[in-house]
Amino acid sequence: MIIWTKKVGIAVLSLAVAQTIHASPITASAANPQASIDRDLLEVSIPQLETFYRDHKCTVTQVVHWYLDRIHRYNGVYGALEHVDEAGALATAAKEDEEARAGGSSSARGPMWGVPIVIKENTSVRGLITSDGWKGYVIPGHEFVAPRDATVVAKLRAAGAIILGKTNMPDFAASDTNRSTAYGRTGNAYDVRFSPGGSSGGTVTAVTANLALLGNGTDTGNSIRMPSATSAVVGVFPTRGLVSIAGIAPLDWLLDNTGPIARNVTDAAIALTVMAGEDPADPPTIGSAQKAQPGPYTNYLHRDALRGKRFGVPAFILAGAGIPFQGIPSSETPAQAAAGRDASRLPLRPETRAAFMHAIQAFQAAGATVVFDDSILPDNFAEIVSRVGTIPYIREGTERFLAEYGPPQYHSPEGYEKAVGSPLPATIIGGKAGLGDTRPSVNQVQFENNQQANADVLEPRRNALELYDQTLDRLHLDGYVYPATQMPPPDETMPQDGVLSTGPHSDTGWVNMIGVPAVVVPAGFYPNGLPFGLEISARRWHDGDLLGWAYGFEQATNFRRPPVLVDKGLLSIESK
């Protein structure tokens, strides 16, 4: 089913030789049918596409061909997709067109019927490789081919979505930029020299560049939200437990989440409605139907949703207080914990602070009150939440995933080593304290029925969530608002601070640690033309309200504008 795979190095843009192409590639007269479909489909939304199908303005096959043509034209420069399933996408499109010709009612179609989407490479798609961005899963003869769909993929298919392919990501989703040992680098669609962020950088580049209508991302510490901020798209981190992560290769199963990435809030709300739901294969989702605001989430989208609402700005984010990725296990001493937090400090860059304050003015103009106060989630909140230490338990997630979704050759870490002759990296099976970390090694243990799990994870999570909610109650706040990143996207063609950039970075991993919902919306552009994103978070299970606020901001500002793409560049630097 896999038609082609493109390995991409760093695309260094030469303005002297690159041909600049506006996002709509056809300039013929409006009488030309191709010109018409170009005009209609660039930045198209799900409701608009639904209208086109209902009015017989285009077929599903025509729409899929349009997206595939753009992928063929631009993916060699931007490296957004790892695999393109052209045959599978066209077969599904033909089937849906046949359904339409047979006279089926459009009202009986799923809410994403005929919608071309992309899936992140760590998310299982039946018959396609789950590389997880890592070269060890694409070794010839030992490829990690998924035996069945992840739960969210099955839901999207059932709703009528068409999978164009899978998007590039860094190894195991363990980076804030988008370099893969299996496939190379993804560039930012607004300027290919710059980072789109990670680890969902492939999806955000595909969506913002109109190579797909929307896609899924995954997020262990910021990996939906930070990349969305770099690329003027909407990224949704649902309440943990609203959407199943079964079938997604884990980085840290106690922090992982998945959600939609789209060009507008309406499409994100439609996709989240499809993706949400209980799943016996993912215990945190059990009982979510009784806890969550009911869908469809488009019911919460009102232009005046921000009017009269109050939001606080977390003081620790403005101060750059450090929260180590995957937290600090209870076994570490206070001195070790303090050193870890200090090493993780991430000051807010002046240009990002300026962009944030400009966005806050727009937020207030849309009817919201924004409160700045040193008592709003201060440094001691960062200290409390950083004690959610999940590192001792990561191997369990990998073992479970391989057992249930691994290929016939290997259903365990031991099976992989036996089949391939080398072990899986410590990043996903443990053996070190964290990514790029010099802290003490942590032994891997089972989470369930483990008394230490309470001290490592459950108790500090409860304490942090309690402080999060108490602050909302004390100051009569509806939610929080803050910059989604601590810095602009960096130029990856030259060193930043003397080293090859591993960013951009954010201070938003605490959201994963307590499982509250958050959304990023386009909120302006830096002077160099790269996007800035605003993040909003809410109480657990208030995902509908959250999307409503994002919609109100989007409709009041209309900050998004599509990138101008190039279809030629100089591929001169390999990113391994």
Side-chain angles (χ1 to χ4, degrees), residues 170-189:
D171 296 27
F172 311 115
S175 175
D176 281 351
T177 191
N178 224 76
R179 298 188 190 95
S180 160
T181 59
Y183 295 94
R185 172 186 179 267
T186 301
N188 192 302

Side-chain angles (χ1 to χ4, degrees), residues 300-392:
Y300 301 85
L301 307 187
H302 306 290
R303 295 184 67 94
D304 62 350
L306 283 176
R307 192 164 303 281
K309 299 298 186 292
R310 287 170 54 86
F311 297 85
V313 177
F316 82 92
I317 291 180
L318 298 186
I323 300 176
F325 177 61
Q326 297 176 295
I328 302 169
S330 59
S331 59
E332 292 196 18
T333 67
Q336 289 172 327
R341 287 193 299 271
D342 188 62
S344 301
R345 291 193 69 84
L346 202 59
L348 188 66
R349 296 282 179 86
E351 57 270 49
T352 300
R353 184 183 293 271
F356 174 60
M357 296 309 297
H358 184 264
I360 287 300
Q361 291 176 4
F363 206 74
Q364 292 170 319
T369 297
V370 179
V371 180
F372 290 79
D373 190 294
D374 290 343
S375 70
I376 298 175
L377 303 188
D379 280 9
N380 79 306
F381 174 80
E383 183 175 345
I384 292 169
V385 78
S386 69
R387 276 298 191 173
V388 179
T390 57
I391 298 170

Side-chain angles (χ1 to χ4, degrees), residues 20 40 132 140 400 443 502 569:
T20 300
D40 290 339
D132 209 9
R400 186 182 302 122
N443 293 329
T502 58

Side-chain angles (χ1 to χ4, degrees), residues 487-558:
M487 60 193 67
D491 185 341
E492 295 189 319
T493 66
M494 60 183 66
Q496 305 291 315
D497 300 322
V499 297
L500 185 64
S501 172
T502 58
H505 303 297
S506 78
D507 239 350
T508 61
W510 57 277
V511 172
N512 304 69
M513 292 171 163
I514 61 177
V516 297
V519 63
V520 165
V521 287
F525 291 82
Y526 290 103
N528 65 357
L530 294 171
F532 168 77
L534 192 70
E535 185 163 338
I536 313 167
S537 66
R539 296 179 189 269
R540 281 175 56 80
W541 307 112
H542 283 251
D543 300 76
D545 291 339
L546 181 69
L547 288 173
W549 304 332
Y551 181 81
F553 181 76
E554 173 191 74
Q555 296 300 302
T557 57
N558 294 307

